[in-house]
Amino acid sequence: MRIATWNVNSSRARAERIGDWLDRSDVDVLAMQETKARDHQFPESVFTDRGYEVAHHGLSQWNGVAIASRVGLEDVRIGFPGQPGFGEPEEREARAIAATCGGVQVWSLYVPNGREVDHPHYAYKLRWLEALREGGAARLAEDPEAQIAYVGDFNIAPQDDDVWDMAAFEGLTHVTEPERAAFAKLVDAGFAEVVREYTPGPGVYTYWDYKGLAFPKRKGMRIDFVLASPALRARVTGASIDREERKGKGASDHAPVIVALDGADSQPVDRPQSKK
DNA sequence: ATGGCGTCTCACAGACGA
């Protein structure tokens, strides 16, 4: 079984490309973020035409998360217990959806960006991650054998190597100590990040800004991850980042990340062409 | 050089993204 996560940056603008990628990648489960659609606008046929079931959660043109699966899609959940909202009054956003696919509970997560360190969105981001951790820890305490995958766009670069130049991120979100601590607490709660060991850096990223030729200049960030509960982690045998998908016209600014279970094939690994 | 690029909407400007 192969599970992928991909911030598609609009399901409608990317519909054809998502279909082509499914044909090429042959994954069993695809978790998507930033679908940027309400439920009735989501291009379901891209998935159903190819034999996938799909669940989508979108409330507006912002955010939006979905899971497509050809190994079953059961027990769909919208949001997680205690998931905080944003704004005044606080509104819960479309940033989390779960489904059990082939015995694995897959959570497609779009962690809040944070915007700026002194912006209310940043505190929201930290609250959101803490609530996610609490729920995950409680779930593992209940059932230590649970197969849970927290996948998606975490909007955190956990290590200095996860950005092309730490100096360029001075004072910016995604690399601050509290964000990294929140990520580490989730890992410490039992949800190990399983992609990095198969796609070692430096210079290995999952996101490249559209601006300033960031992709060809290899100025990216590693911010998309797969976190696995202990029972699931034991099944992981490979992972890859499909940076080919970032190429060409009409690409998302994020690349798909794939995890292989039980010896399934994994895509070629993203590697820097040159080192200085 | 607050540019740059892409996507969205009660669109032709502003919000959001990271």
Side-chain angles (χ1 to χ4, degrees):
Chain A
M1 182 155 123
R2 287 140 53 81
I3 300 173
T5 179
W6 188 13
N7 179 324
V8 295
N9 185 21
S10 171
S11 54
R12 288 174 284 173
R14 216 72 60 215
E16 193 175 332
R17 231 174 135 129
I18 294 169
D20 289 347
W21 188 78
L22 280 177
D23 294 340
R24 200 163 69 242
S25 66
D26 203 37
V27 295
D28 299 292
V29 179
L30 173 60
M32 288 158 276
Q33 302 85 37
E34 283 212 85
T35 60
K36 294 188 172 176
R38 293 173 175 82
D39 288 345
H40 72 275
Q41 299 172 308
F42 183 72
E44 271 189 20
S45 61
V46 166
F47 307 94
T48 54
D49 286 354
R50 290 172 169 80
Y52 291 82
E53 297 173 86
V54 66
H56 176 259
H57 174 47
L59 299 170
S60 70
Q61 72 268 41
W62 308 121
N63 315 306
V65 281
I67 300 175
S69 170
R70 62 179 188 195
V71 291
L73 189 82
E74 294 159 19
D75 192 19
V76 172
R77 297 177 191 219
I78 302 300
F80 55 84
Q83 182 185 326
F86 184 68
E88 201 54 60
E90 265 191 17
E91 283 185 49
R92 193 190 268 200
E93 300 175 309
R95 294 182 178 274
I97 189 171
T100 302
C101 308
V104 179
Q105 185 183 49
V106 178
W107 283 91
S108 179
L109 304 172
Y110 180 44
V111 175
N113 170 295
R115 298 184 190 170
E116 286 155 34
V117 172
D118 57 2
H119 193 286
H121 211 261
Y122 179 82
Y124 167 51
K125 179 180 195 173
L126 296 178
R127 282 200 305 278
W128 202 96
L129 287 160
E130 174 57 17
L132 182 68
R133 184 202 64 79
E134 267 179 34
R139 182 70 205 295
L140 276 187
E142 243 170 59
D143 179 9
E145 295 303 309
Q147 301 205 35
I148 304 170
Y150 284 142
V151 314
D153 178 356
F154 283 79
N155 271 321
I156 297 170
Q159 301 183 12
D160 289 358
D161 275 354
D162 295 336
V163 298
W164 77 92
D165 178 12
M166 273 300 285
F169 284 83
E170 178 86 44
L172 300 183
T173 61
H174 293 62
V175 299
T176 68
E177 189 279 327
E179 289 166 284
R180 288 178 169 180
F183 188 89
K185 274 183 82 175
L186 194 51
V187 171
D188 290 345
F191 298 94
E193 203 291 308
V194 297
V195 177
R196 185 186 298 277
E197 73 172 290
Y198 297 99
T199 59
V204 175
Y205 309 121
T206 64
Y207 161 88
W208 299 262
D209 201 306
Y210 287 123
K211 293 173 279 189
L213 298 175
F215 183 64
K217 289 179 179 172
R218 300 185 171 268
K219 293 182 171 182
M221 305 172 73
R222 188 200 289 259
I223 54 177
D224 300 87
F225 298 99
V226 173
L227 273 55
S229 66
L232 180 62
R233 183 189 191 184
R235 296 177 59 195
V236 174
T237 52
S240 64
I241 299 165
D242 187 1
R243 76 185 297 285
E244 290 300 306
E245 177 52 40
R246 180 63 180 78
K247 296 179 178 175
K249 200 167 169 54
S252 168
D253 43 4
H254 292 251
V257 175
I258 302 167
V259 164
L261 306 182
D262 309 326
D265 286 342
S266 65
Q267 298 276 3
V269 162
D270 179 18
R271 294 199 181 282
Q273 259 172 4
S274 60
K275 278 184 185 177
K276 290 217 170 150

